[in-house]
Amino acid sequence: MSLIEAELHGQTDKSTGTRGRVIHNVTLAAKQQGLPIPSRATMYRTVGVLEGNRHPFGDATTRRSLANRPDRTFGRRAPSRPGELMEIDSTPLDLMVLYPDGTTGRPDLTILFDIATRTLSATMLRADATKSVDVAAFLLAKALTPLPMQPGWDASLAFSRSILAAGCPYGG
């Protein structure tokens, strides 16, 4: 049984073969090790059972992609605190806009979503495609900076509720 499993596992990176080739290789290996060899029909049945959904005799691209799958299923995580699990998603909006330079296009909307509280922590609307480094830095800064401290707010509002002293290096 382990000889057949090893041979089936070895089919991942080989050219597309047949069950007969696997049975031939297993028979040779069993003879070298002095193991008893079952009938050819039994070997075919065993190979059929052990191949499962790995498709060792299907397309090479299918075999390789199935071999690259993780061994586990994707599980659900249940965060218990705000900010414990955040997800970022970006999608082009289904509308055409007129940019200041006169061209038209579809803007990208990117959001940072808090799974625990089910709230949007930050959003970004860009005219061009977003790059992951730009998105992560911008959305993280926007999510962690209070609204009155963000650019475009009146400077007098920035420290109206701050507990930091104005001369503090982390203050203003």
Side-chain angles (χ1 to χ4, degrees):
M1 189 83 101
S2 64
L3 288 176
I4 296 174
E5 289 174 341
E7 187 65 30
L8 287 175
H9 182 69
Q11 297 297 308
T12 302
D13 294 322
K14 289 183 180 177
S15 63
T16 303
T18 63
R19 288 170 185 81
R21 180 175 76 178
V22 168
I23 291 171
H24 175 72
N25 292 343
V26 168
T27 304
L28 289 177
K31 282 182 183 178
Q32 287 177 353
Q33 295 179 15
L35 298 173
I37 302 168
S39 70
R40 200 154 180 80
T42 302
M43 293 282 274
Y44 271 100
R45 280 194 303 271
T46 306
V47 167
V49 168
L50 291 178
E51 70 182 74
N53 59 359
R54 289 182 291 186
H55 303 285
F57 309 110
D59 293 335
T61 53
T62 304
R63 282 197 312 271
R64 283 193 226 72
S65 65
L66 290 176
N68 287 333
R69 276 194 316 197
D71 294 339
R72 58 173 172 69
T73 58
F74 292 105
R76 292 187 53 92
R77 293 200 42 205
S80 58
R81 296 178 304 276
E84 183 178 349
L85 180 61
M86 307 288 277
E87 292 184 357
I88 296 177
D89 190 23
S90 186
T91 185
L93 293 179
D94 194 20
L95 60 104
M96 294 296 284
V97 295
L98 181 63
Y99 297 128
D101 63 355
T103 61
T104 59
R106 295 175 61 188
D108 277 358
L109 175 66
T110 305
I111 62 169
L112 178 66
F113 187 74
D114 184 2
I115 301 298
T117 61
R118 304 206 184 282
T119 57
L120 291 178
S121 298
T123 60
M124 179 170 73
L125 187 64
R126 290 183 53 120
D128 52 345
T130 54
K131 295 188 175 37
S132 60
V133 173
D134 298 336
V135 169
F138 180 80
L139 290 179
L140 184 61
K142 194 168 179 183
L144 297 177
T145 307
L147 280 176
M149 307 271 302
Q150 292 182 11
W153 283 77
D154 191 334
S156 64
L157 294 174
F159 289 101
S160 64
R161 300 240 180 218
S162 178
I163 60 171
L164 300 174
C168 176
Y170 302 108

